[in-house]
Amino acid sequence: MKMISIEEARGLVLDKLPPRQAEHVHFQAALHRVLAEDLRASMDIPPFNRAAVDGYALRSADVRSAPAVLVLAGEVRAGGEASVALVPGQAIAVATGAPVPAGADAVQMLEQVQIAAEGRRVTVLQSVEPGQNIVPRGFEATLGETVLESGRTLGPAEIAVLATFGYTHAPVWRRPRVALLATGDELVEVEGTPRAGQIRNSNAYSLTAQLNCLGIEPEYLGIALDDPEDLRCKVVAGLEREVLIISGGASIGPYDLVKGIFEEIGVKILFARVAVRPGKPTVFGCKGDTLVFGLPGNPVSSLVSFENFVRPALGRMCGFARPDLERVEGELQTTIRQVPGRTAFMPAVLSWTRGGWTVDPLLWKGSGDIIGFSRSDSLVVFPSDRDSLVRGERVEALLLPDYFTRRR
C-alpha cells in the first residue's frame, strides 16, 4: 500500500466518521460536553422588575427636586414579595435582587438617602431617572428565546444557564465508546518488573490521557502478545466498540501482526503508511461503522499520530467544531533541518513576547525519546518540501493539548 500525504490521510479518516448521536445527561455532568440542540428560555429573566442595588424604590417624579422627604411604607427583601403598591410621596426599602413594588419606577441607592430618627421618613438627597437601578422583567432573556445554541461547549457559565431555566438534563452529543489495546511481547505493565529485553507499557497511558483530554474514558483491553490468536481475540473484542486504537505492531517487521489480523477479520484498511515524521507506520481502517487506528509503537510517534489523526476524528464525533490542535505562527529561534519528503512535527517551546510568538525547537533523541519530548509544549510543523527552516523565519506551530496548564 503506497505512502500518502498527511492531508490525504486526514481526509480519509474524516470521510469515514459515523453520524453523531445525542443523549441526555444530568446538567451537572454536562461540563465540557457539546450541546446537541438549541435550548430556549422557560421563563422571563428576571421574572420581575429587579432592584439592582440596596436602596429605596420610589417614584422618580417625587424626587425631581431633591432633596425630598418621603414616607417609608415598608420593605421588600430578596426572595420576598412586593405585596404593597407604592403611592405618590412614599418610598419602600428594597434589597439587591428584590422585586420592585408596583408604582415605583426607580431605586435610589442607600448612599443617597438619610433615614429620619423615628424611622418613618427618608430624605432622598439626589434625584434619579426613570428606570435607574432597576433591571426590568425579561431584560436578560424572554420566554421562548434561544439561550444556548446547538454546538456550544458547555462551561461553568452554561451550566448556570441550564440551572437558571430548570434544565435538569441537557441534550449533548454522545462521546464514542473507545477500546484501547497495546501490543508486543516486550511490554509489561507499569507495576511489573521488566525482564531482559522488556520495557514498561507507557503508550496505553499516554493515549488514555490524550483521550481524557477529549472527555473520553477508554476501555483498556490490556497487552496483546505477538501471537496471532491472542491478538485476534483482543482485536475482535475491541471491534465491539465504535473506535479501536491499537498501539504498536503496525509496521512491516516479522512480528508486526496488526495489518494481517485486520485483513483476516474483515477490517478494510484505507492507509498504512503516511508521509509524516514521526508516525509513518500509522494504519487506519474500518469495519462497518467502527473506526480502527493502528498507531506506531514508539511513544513519541504514538502521541503525535494520535494528535494528527485520532483527535480530529473523535473530537468531531463528540460534537466539537474545531477539535484539532490550535495553530499559531511564530519566529523560529534556531535553524533546524530534515530530509525532505515527509511532513515533520518537531518538539518545541513556545513563548509570547510583545512582538508575538517565538518558537524554540528542543533537542531530542528521536521518536523513542518521550523524556525529551515531555519538555515540549508545542510542535513545529516542518513542510515536506523543505530541507531546512532558518532561524528568524516565521513558522507554524501546534499547541499541545495541555499547553495552557503547563504555563500555570
Side-chain angles (χ1 to χ4, degrees), residues 5 107 129 143 196 226 234 244 254 296 311 319 326:
S5 70
V107 173
E129 297 297 321
L143 175 66
D226 290 330
K234 288 183 169 67
L244 170 61
R311 168 183 287 276
E326 191 73 28

Side-chain angles (χ1 to χ4, degrees), residues 109-260:
M109 62 181 62
L110 286 176
E111 294 83 348
Q112 298 297 330
V113 176
Q114 292 179 345
I115 304 174
E118 85 284 357
R120 297 177 183 176
R121 292 173 298 153
V122 294
T123 301
V124 180
L125 303 177
Q126 186 174 352
S127 63
V128 290
E129 297 297 321
Q132 188 169 332
N133 296 324
I134 293 177
V135 181
R137 175 174 179 163
F139 180 75
E140 295 160 11
T142 56
L143 175 66
E145 175 186 347
T146 297
V147 289
L148 292 175
E149 305 82 10
S150 174
R152 187 187 292 196
T153 301
L154 300 176
E158 286 81 6
I159 298 298
V161 173
L162 293 171
T164 295
F165 294 103
Y167 285 104
T168 59
H169 288 75
V172 295
W173 293 117
R174 189 170 64 78
R175 291 165 171 160
R177 296 170 298 162
V178 177
L180 179 60
L181 174 65
T183 68
D185 289 347
E186 74 277 15
L187 298 179
V188 298
E189 288 296 5
V190 175
E191 62 274 10
T193 301
R195 300 191 307 271
Q198 290 188 314
I199 58 173
R200 288 189 176 90
N201 174 20
S202 64
N203 286 2
Y205 302 101
S206 62
L207 289 168
T208 295
Q210 288 174 288
L211 289 163
N212 290 165
C213 288
L214 290 169
I216 296 171
E217 187 63 48
E219 179 181 351
Y220 178 45
L221 303 180
I223 299 171
L225 302 176
D226 290 330
D227 171 77
E229 188 56 39
D230 186 50
L231 180 59
R232 183 185 303 106
C233 180
K234 288 183 169 67
V235 169
V236 169
L239 290 173
E240 296 177 2
R241 310 299 180 266
E242 291 156 287
V243 179
L244 170 61
I245 302 173
I246 301 178
S247 170
S251 191
I252 58 174
Y255 298 103
D256 291 314
L257 307 176
V258 168
K259 288 186 289 184

Side-chain angles (χ1 to χ4, degrees), residues 1-2 53 96 101 109 133 160 178 208 231 265 344 353 364 378 398:
M1 187 170 284
K2 71 172 185 176
V53 297
T96 301
M109 62 181 62
N133 296 324
V178 177
T208 295
L231 180 59
I265 61 180
T353 66
W364 65 313
S378 54
L398 304 179

